[in-house]
């Protein structure tokens, strides 16, 4: 998939997505039903869900995951991301941007 298509679909660069997939050990600690799902599928489905605002059923189907299992996968993914938010989320340091005069 071309980089611009990846950016449009997931709202992240391919390198950041690969970095997130490297968190597979943390992502595989989820519910036993979700442990057979490869880390890249968990990450891509979770990112697609967040980027698209679609329904869990629709996104789960694209990754061939039942909605109930995807719900568990998404919850675990969000827990892992919250712990690492500082690594992946940054805000502008230029205060002139925030001043609305």
């Amino acid at each position: 998939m071309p980089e611009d298509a990846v950016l449009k679909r997931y709202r992240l660069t391919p390198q950041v997505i690969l970095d997130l997939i490297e968190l597979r050990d943390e992502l595989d600690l989820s519910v036993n039903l979700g442990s057979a799902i490869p880390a890249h599928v968990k990450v891509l489905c979770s990112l697609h869900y967040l980027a698209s605002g679609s329904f869990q059923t629709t996104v789960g189907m694209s990754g061939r995951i039942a909605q109930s299992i995807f719900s568990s996968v998404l919850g675990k993914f969000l827990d892992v991301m919250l712990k690492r938010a500082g690594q992946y989320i940054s805000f502008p340091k230029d205060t002139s941007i925030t001043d609305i005069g």
Side-chain angles (χ1 to χ4, degrees):
M1 181 182 291
E3 185 170 346
D4 59 332
V6 172
L7 281 167
K8 185 174 181 178
R9 183 171 189 162
Y10 300 107
R11 310 278 192 250
L12 296 170
T13 65
Q15 185 57 54
V16 170
I17 293 171
L18 290 173
D19 291 345
L20 293 173
I21 292 169
E22 289 300 315
L23 302 175
R24 71 175 58 92
D25 292 339
E26 291 178 63
L27 294 171
D28 285 339
L29 295 175
S30 60
V31 183
N32 288 340
L33 292 173
S35 62
I37 301 167
H40 72 278
V41 173
K42 293 177 185 181
V43 169
L44 292 174
C45 284
S46 297
L47 291 175
H48 179 61
Y49 173 77
L50 295 170
S52 70
S54 188
F55 295 99
Q56 289 183 8
T57 304
T58 306
V59 174
M61 285 176 19
S62 69
R64 299 179 189 252
I65 305 171
Q67 183 277 326
S68 59
I69 295 173
F70 179 61
S71 181
S72 296
V73 166
L74 180 62
K76 182 60 182 176
F77 177 81
L78 293 174
D79 286 344
V80 170
M81 290 299 95
L82 283 173
K83 291 178 188 171
R84 297 175 168 271
Q87 289 178 266
Y88 297 102
I89 300 173
S90 62
F91 295 97
K93 302 214 185 307
D94 183 0
T95 57
S96 66
I97 295 172
T98 60
D99 291 337
I100 301 173

